[in-house]
Amino acid sequence: MSAEVKICGLTDEDAIDAAIDAGADYLGLVFFAKSPRFVTPDRAAELTQFVEGVDKVGLFVDAEDAFLEEALTHLRLDLLQFHGAETPERIDAIRREFAVPVMKVIAIGSAEDLAKAEPYFAVADRLLFDAKPPKNSDLPGGNAVSFDWSILSGYKCPLQWMLAGGLTADNVAEAIRISGARAVDVSSGVESAPGVKDAAKIAAFIKAAKGT
């Protein structure tokens, strides 16, 4: 089974070129200052000024409207990803205010956590299921932690969704097979060090995810 691929946490031109050349469907830019993958809106605009034919995704964590407006003033984003404690009401307000599709991240540790997705069905355009971060982590994602993919097997979701959390070229095909995911998101799994993307790992991951 083939899946769309989002390469997240891109911070330099070489990594973006590698992702595009390998066939990535989405490029993820992290607008969260605590992340080693953080880029400013100005830098993100520089990195993506010549990007065409690939969707650009902005990752935000409990961002205020002013910062969202700053980011969207600097560059066109095709999807806004929210990885914080944003309520359904907040997601709805952002979607209405900025008129850009929104993806809400749902942290999964057990099957019971799937219930947290339901309030977002009516207000988000997509969902992303990611592993709950370790208790001592300051990062909501990108922690190289996975969860039991079988939790999502047969899951009836009215929205398109992505799978994330501890994915690598070695396990992504199995993750897709077990979960039924049609789209996957990777960051640390294609890095040689935190925030440093590896072109060979990006290519291998996309090849594995797409079954090519």
Side-chain angles (χ1 to χ4, degrees), residues 74-114:
H74 278 80
L75 75 161
R76 183 180 66 82
L77 292 169
D78 301 288
L79 184 65
L80 306 180
Q81 174 179 332
F82 291 95
H83 218 310
E86 300 88 0
T87 64
E89 293 75 19
R90 175 62 176 149
I91 293 298
D92 187 42
I94 291 169
R95 193 183 183 206
R96 292 173 183 271
E97 174 67 22
F98 296 100
V100 178
V102 170
M103 178 166 66
K104 180 68 179 86
V105 178
I106 308 297
I108 302 294
S110 66
E112 288 72 28
D113 291 322
L114 286 177

Side-chain angles (χ1 to χ4, degrees), residues 138-153:
D138 289 330
L139 304 178
N143 292 298
V145 176
S146 62
F147 63 94
D148 182 359
W149 303 314
S150 67
I151 289 171
L152 291 167
S153 179

